[in-house]
Amino acid sequence: MRLMQAHNIDDLRSMAKRRLPRMIFDYIDGGADDEVTLSRSVSRYDDYELTWRALRDVTEIDTSTRIMGQETRLPFFISPTATTRLFHPAEGELAMARAADRAGVIYACSTLASQTVEDIAKATAGPKWVQLYVWRDKDVVKGFLERAKAAGFTGCILTVDLPVAGNRERDPRNHFAIPPTPNLKVASQVLARPGWLWDLIRSPKIAPANFTHLQGQNDQGGLIGFVNAQFSRAVTWEDVEWMRDFWGPGFAIKGISRAEDAKRAVELGADAVWVSNHGGRQLDTSVPTIDLLPEIAEAVRGRAEIIADGGVRRGSHVAKLLMRGATGVALGRASLFGLGAGGEQGVRRALQIMEDELVRTMALLGATKISELDPDLVRAPHT
C-alpha cells in the first residue's frame, strides 16, 4: 500500500532514501565531479517543448514496439546496473528480472551482477540481455557469454565508456566500498537502517556472482580491486569486432556520444548503437543524450537501432527521446529507486508509473502508437 502512494519516480527516490543507508543511496543517486551531467541529464528534458495533434481518437494506445529485434510491450526496459543486491540484499537482480517479466519488458543484467546469469534466467521467462565490459582475458569473456547464451539471453551489450572509473566524490566521503568496509561511519549509517541491515545479514556476500572463481586473488581490494585487476584499459575497435563475431546477432555498443563512433559501430556489425553518458557517473559536463540523438540518427541512417538513456524520470522523457531519434529507452535509476524503496514490488511500481505517464503523454500528443511519435511534435530549444 505504501508503494501505491508513490505517484512519480521522485516519490520512489524519497522512499529509497529513507530505507537505504546513506552510502548505498548516494551510490545510486550520485554522479562524477560536480554532478553537472547528473543534474542536466534530468533538467534538459524541460527545455524540449511539445505540440500535439488535435481531435484524434485516442481511445486505444498501443505502446508495443521492437528493440534490437525483440518484441516488447513497452518502448523502455531495465538497464544493466552492477551489484544490484546492494540496494535490496534479499532480492537484487531477481527482483528486477521478475518485475520486467510481469511488465512485459526487456531486462538487461550487468557483467558485475550480484546473482548468476543462470539464477536470473530462472526468475524470468521474458526477454533478457547481458552487459559486458572488455576484460583482459578473452577466455573469461567467452566463457561468460557462452553461459549467458545457454541460459537464454538473446542480447549482448558492450559498454565502452568506462576505460577508468569516473570521479564519484560521494563514495569516498561515505567510505563506500563493495562489500562495505567496517568502520565507525559505515556502522552508524547501517545501524540507522535496520531493515536493510537485517536483509544484508541474512543474505549471501555481495560480490560479482558470475566470477567467483576469479575473486580470491582480489578480495583485498573489494569490487574496485577486482575491476582494476580484470578489466582492460586498452579497449580498441578490434576488441569490439571479435566480441561481435563471437556473440552473433543481438549486439549493442553502449556509451556512444559521437557520430563518427556510431558509424564505426554500424560498420562493425552492431545491431544497436546505445547513446549514453553512463548516468552522469563518468565524464562530467558531457552533452545530454537528448541533444545528441539527431546527429547519431543521421550517422546511423536506419542501419541499426538507437537506444538512449540518461536522466529518464518521466514517461514524457521516454516520448521525447523517441521523437528525437531513439528506438528504445533504457531505465537505470528509475528502476533502482523502485528496488531500493520496496524490492520487486517497488520495481513494478516504477515501471507502472512510467507506463501510465507514457500512455497519458501519447494520448495528449494525439499519438496512438509508437510510430506516431514524430520528430515534429517536439521542439528543440534555441541554441
Side-chain angles (χ1 to χ4, degrees), residues 82-278:
T83 53
T84 308
R85 282 184 48 237
L86 275 174
F87 319 122
H88 200 287
E91 298 184 25
E93 287 86 0
L94 302 187
M96 298 286 231
R98 290 171 183 144
D101 197 7
R102 292 277 302 233
V105 301
I106 299 160
Y107 170 66
C109 85
S110 169
T111 294
L112 299 176
S114 46
Q115 284 155 322
T116 67
V117 288
E118 290 83 4
D119 286 343
I120 292 169
K122 291 174 186 175
T124 173
K128 43 198 169 285
W129 300 342
V130 67
Q131 177 268 344
L132 187 67
Y133 291 107
V134 179
W135 293 59
R136 298 179 190 274
D137 189 338
K138 286 186 179 181
D139 289 336
V140 170
V141 175
K142 290 176 179 179
F144 176 59
L145 293 182
E146 285 171 347
R147 285 175 55 197
K149 280 188 175 183
F153 287 77
T154 58
C156 178
I157 304 153
L158 175 64
T159 299
V160 298
D161 60 356
L162 202 146
V164 296
N167 181 33
R168 304 162 194 174
E169 294 180 354
R170 294 199 208 185
D171 294 346
R173 289 192 193 115
N174 290 324
H175 299 284
F176 175 79
I178 306 172
T181 303
N183 59 54
L184 185 60
K185 188 165 187 175
V186 169
S188 65
Q189 292 183 23
V190 170
L191 291 173
R193 299 292 187 266
W196 182 89
L197 177 59
W198 178 239
D199 275 350
L200 182 69
I201 292 170
R202 294 183 302 148
S203 304
K205 179 181 177 181
I206 298 173
N210 291 292
F211 304 99
T212 54
H213 58 296
L214 300 174
Q215 290 165 37
Q217 57 192 333
N218 302 302
D219 282 348
Q220 204 170 32
L223 180 66
I224 299 302
F226 176 75
V227 167
N228 288 337
Q230 300 296 336
F231 288 8
S232 173
R233 296 186 181 185
V235 181
T236 68
W237 287 103
E238 286 69 31
D239 294 299
V240 174
E241 192 167 11
W242 78 256
M243 275 186 267
R244 166 62 179 86
D245 291 344
F246 185 82
W247 177 263
F251 189 83
I253 299 177
K254 178 178 183 288
I256 298 295
S257 70
R258 294 180 61 82
E260 63 195 78
D261 288 336
K263 289 179 182 178
R264 187 74 181 271
V266 173
E267 289 166 359
L268 290 179
D271 300 288
V273 172
W274 190 323
V275 186
S276 174
N277 57 27
H278 215 104

Side-chain angles (χ1 to χ4, degrees), residues 49-56 58 61 315-316 318-320 323 357-369 372-374 376-378:
E49 298 174 332
L50 300 171
T51 63
W52 60 92
R53 300 186 184 96
L55 298 174
R56 293 291 185 102
V58 293
I61 304 292
S316 61
V318 173
K320 288 178 180 181
M323 287 186 281
E357 291 183 350
L358 175 63
V359 169
R360 182 168 54 249
T361 298
M362 291 178 64
L364 291 170
L365 288 169
T368 60
K369 51 189 177 181
E372 293 178 355
L373 291 173
D374 296 329
D376 61 0
L377 294 176
V378 61

